[in-house]
């Protein structure tokens, strides 16, 4: 379920600093989400809504390393379910199976799970990924 970004009262939008020399034209939705994300980072907020916001950032820019890194920190600090995160990553991974950040995040979560890792489910997922593209070096 999408988290409606424009309905936030608790955050002041961070416009990203001074006027850039060569501005990049971003879609309004991306600019809004990133403004809220910068505000949360600046504030140092570790909350459920910060966690949900990382999903929005990743939806708009799945290569945003800061969103993935902050998401892992939120999972740790808030004690969120690593198993739920692996399930979510499975959905995202199937959509964007050649994204380094997704695979790095997945590896980090697997390491956090340690002995609790469902190896059989992971092998099944990896089989599905490699059936799609045996040369997917992102997943290797």
């Amino acid at each position: 379920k999408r988290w409606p970004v424009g309905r936030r009262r608790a955050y002041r939008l961070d416009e990203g600093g001074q006027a850039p020399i060569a501005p990049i034209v971003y879609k309004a939705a991306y600019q809004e989400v990133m403004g809220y994300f910068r505000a949360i980072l600046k504030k140092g907020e570790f909350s459920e809504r910060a966690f949900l916001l990382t999903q929005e950032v990743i939806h708009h820019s799945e290569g945003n390393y800061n969103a993935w890194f902050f998401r892992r920190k939120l999972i740790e600090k808030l004690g969120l379910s690593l198993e739920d995160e692996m399930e979510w990553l499975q959905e995202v991974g199937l959509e964007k199976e050649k994204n380094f950040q997704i695979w790095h995040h997945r590896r980090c979560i697997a390491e956090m799970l340690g002995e609790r890792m469902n190896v059989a489910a992971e092998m099944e997922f990896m089989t599905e990924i490699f059936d799609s593209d045996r040369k997917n070096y992102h997943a290797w």
Side-chain angles (χ1 to χ4, degrees):
K1 185 174 177 175
R2 307 281 340 147
W3 190 42
V5 178
R7 297 185 185 160
R8 313 270 197 293
R9 285 180 272 133
Y11 299 111
R12 190 172 62 72
L13 192 61
D14 184 337
E15 299 297 338
Q18 298 186 0
I21 294 170
I24 299 171
V25 179
Y26 293 109
K27 292 182 179 179
Y30 175 79
Q31 288 179 322
E32 183 180 25
V33 167
M34 288 308 297
Y36 288 115
F37 185 59
R38 284 190 299 272
I40 281 177
L41 289 175
K42 191 174 189 178
K43 186 178 175 184
E45 179 179 328
F46 289 87
S47 67
E48 178 70 24
R49 65 184 171 174
F51 180 72
L52 293 172
L53 184 60
T54 63
Q55 188 170 336
E56 288 294 322
V57 173
I58 290 165
H59 169 74
H60 287 281
S61 176
E62 66 272 351
N64 186 321
Y65 179 80
N66 289 322
W68 290 105
F69 178 77
F70 190 55
R71 187 174 179 87
R72 278 192 301 283
K73 292 299 173 198
L74 287 162
I75 289 168
E76 287 179 293
K77 288 214 180 230
L78 300 175
L80 300 175
S81 168
L82 297 171
E83 292 82 4
D84 288 351
E85 185 69 358
M86 286 300 275
E87 282 183 35
W88 180 74
L89 282 169
Q90 190 158 338
E91 294 171 26
V92 175
L94 288 172
E95 293 172 14
K96 309 285 186 187
E97 60 187 55
K98 293 188 177 181
N99 178 287
F100 282 117
Q101 287 77 13
I102 291 171
W103 288 105
H104 176 72
H105 184 72
R106 187 177 186 88
R107 188 184 110 215
C108 292
I109 298 301
E111 289 172 355
M112 292 163 84
L113 276 165
E115 297 290 323
R116 298 182 335 222
M117 179 74 179
N118 185 340
V119 177
E122 189 65 10
M123 293 301 291
E124 186 178 319
F125 176 69
M126 295 308 297
T127 298
E128 187 175 348
I129 291 295
F130 289 129
D131 283 347
S132 171
D133 181 359
R134 296 212 181 276
K135 295 180 182 179
N136 184 344
Y137 62 91
H138 303 80
W140 283 103

